[in-house]
Amino acid sequence: MKLFTIGFTKKSAEEFFTRLQNAGVRRVVDVRLNNTSQIAGFAKARDLKYFLHAIMGIDYVHIPDFAPTQDIVDDFKKRKGSWTEYERRFGDLMVNRHIVDTASEVLCDGDCLLCSEHTPEHCHRRLVAEHVQEHLPDVEVVHL
């Protein structure tokens, strides 16, 4: 299974949608805790679902269980916590939520995990993808 990831910040709509199309993404899996934020621009949930379908025939689903809790996010961003602590806490949350079970039931070849971070290095979408890759057979992760 090929599992893509992408963040929408620092990308124009043209760049964002072109990357998805060129990669052959079949469905965007929104892993944001809050997918209706004003800062999301073209990536606000209802708009994004419409654009994906109308422009490229790509499906959209929101799976908030693949997102960190607000406490984890706030401790890292607002309280300037360490990335190591964020990874540890989110890793524990993924185990407690049994996201591998959810992933094995809902993720398909050509899915793309979406969040806001520009690059995957300090983003939970990378942690989700790596967790899934570690526990499910034959998963290839590609960051767009």
Side-chain angles (χ1 to χ4, degrees), residues 5-52:
T5 80
I6 194 167
F8 64 83
T9 56
K10 298 184 183 178
K11 290 178 184 68
S12 67
E14 180 181 7
E15 180 183 0
F16 176 82
F17 291 109
T18 299
R19 284 186 187 196
L20 295 175
Q21 187 173 40
N22 289 346
V25 169
R26 296 180 183 165
R27 180 174 66 169
V28 168
V29 178
D30 192 335
V31 297
R32 295 176 289 172
L33 185 61
N34 178 7
N35 65 353
T36 59
S37 169
Q38 288 293 79
I39 65 165
F42 66 84
K44 286 169 63 174
R46 287 178 46 202
D47 294 336
L48 181 61
K49 183 177 181 177
Y50 170 78
F51 293 142
L52 288 167

Side-chain angles (χ1 to χ4, degrees), residues 3 27 29-33 61-69 86 90 93-94 97-107 111 113-115 124-125 127-129 131-132:
L3 181 62
R27 180 174 66 169
V29 178
D30 192 335
V31 297
R32 295 176 289 172
L33 185 61
V61 64
H62 181 224
I63 305 179
D65 275 353
F66 287 0
T69 61
Y86 179 96
F90 186 55
L93 182 65
M94 287 189 288
R97 285 183 175 170
H98 306 283
I99 73 155
V100 171
D101 295 338
T102 304
S104 67
E105 293 173 9
V106 301
L107 292 182
D111 279 354
L113 304 181
L114 166 82
C115 78
H124 78 279
R125 74 178 186 266
L127 301 177
V128 171
H131 187 76
V132 168

